[in-house]
Amino acid sequence: MDEYENLDLIGNARSDSAIYDLPPQRTGKRGRPALHGKKLSIHDDFILSTEKIGDYYIAARSVLTNIFGSRKVMAYVTSPEKESTSRRLFFSTIFPEQLEIFCAWQEKPPLNQTGSDRMQFLPLLLYVFRWNIEVSYYEQKTFWSLCSYMVRSRKGIEMLVNLINITYCAMKLLPYQDEAFSKYQTESVQEFRFALSGQIRQQVFYAIFVKNIENSIKSKTIMNALKQLIRQQGYHL
């Protein structure tokens, strides 16, 4: 995030992550100023909202944490019930006031409630958008087997991720671009995967078959007959 000015992060963190209050005001006394305030507890130092926002009570405050060094971030704590001991911790590097313009374009609550007391929770409410991203990665790994890699360099990993995403998008768009697969627009990803895998296996078989016979069969008549048969099956050489 320090390398890209337009990049921010909103995500779940370990509930026992070290978090601190902001540094106290300088007193003017000699000595090194404090790098941060007291250590905070997600159970004792976060006051939950008076009512549920969605399915949770939420608390928010600006903090410092070892994860982000000296960078000030928003910390959010959620709980399904006010008296519950089960709490989750989230960090956001973007602050609510930076998202006011975004709110102005929203048509549905709670994201359009600019100026309300819920405005401070806006970065966390955006966290729900992660689900669409997680679905794509789940399908990539589970159904399309795009999870294996043999690269270790940073550039190699970035190139692989880009290639995987391009491949995934191409397969998701195929039913809308090719009439032969149009019926899979409403089918499950498993059904489409099986159909596409079958087509790929057949094309690989025919490609290897033609390559082998070109090396072993010298008769043009037989070659033309075989190629015509393959074309009748709907494949192009």
Side-chain angles (χ1 to χ4, degrees), residues 49-100:
S49 55
T50 56
E51 59 182 10
K52 279 190 174 182
I53 301 173
D55 297 326
Y56 298 94
Y57 293 96
I58 306 177
R61 66 184 296 172
S62 299
V63 301
L64 294 174
T65 174
N66 294 338
I67 297 176
F68 296 101
S70 60
R71 179 171 182 166
K72 182 173 68 173
V73 297
M74 287 292 295
Y76 293 95
V77 173
T78 65
S79 178
E81 300 296 336
K82 274 221 167 185
E83 304 303 324
S84 173
T85 57
S86 175
R87 295 193 174 190
R88 299 179 66 191
L89 175 64
F90 300 82
F91 290 128
S92 170
T93 62
I94 194 168
F95 287 79
E97 56 271 18
Q98 297 174 266
L99 297 169
E100 291 184 10

Side-chain angles (χ1 to χ4, degrees), residues 12-133:
N12 191 202
R14 287 176 52 126
S15 59
D16 60 352
S17 298
I19 49 178
Y20 305 92
D21 200 359
L22 300 182
Q25 294 292 329
R26 297 287 298 271
T27 61
K29 296 181 179 180
R30 296 179 62 183
R32 183 179 179 182
L35 298 178
H36 52 71
K38 70 170 186 176
K39 189 172 183 179
L40 301 176
S41 165
I42 64 173
H43 297 281
D44 302 326
D45 298 306
F46 285 80
I47 302 176
L48 297 173
S49 55
T50 56
E51 59 182 10
K52 279 190 174 182
I53 301 173
D55 297 326
Y56 298 94
Y57 293 96
I58 306 177
R61 66 184 296 172
S62 299
V63 301
L64 294 174
T65 174
N66 294 338
I67 297 176
F68 296 101
S70 60
R71 179 171 182 166
K72 182 173 68 173
V73 297
M74 287 292 295
Y76 293 95
V77 173
T78 65
S79 178
E81 300 296 336
K82 274 221 167 185
E83 304 303 324
S84 173
T85 57
S86 175
R87 295 193 174 190
R88 299 179 66 191
L89 175 64
F90 300 82
F91 290 128
S92 170
T93 62
I94 194 168
F95 287 79
E97 56 271 18
Q98 297 174 266
L99 297 169
E100 291 184 10
I101 296 179
F102 168 82
C103 292
W105 291 93
Q106 299 302 310
E107 297 179 355
K108 298 179 180 180
L111 297 181
N112 63 351
Q113 297 175 334
T114 307
S116 72
D117 56 352
R118 294 190 176 187
M119 181 65 192
Q120 63 176 325
F121 306 126
L122 180 60
L124 182 61
L125 298 177
L126 295 176
Y127 183 70
V128 298
F129 291 157
R130 84 197 189 284
W131 180 244
N132 292 330
I133 300 174

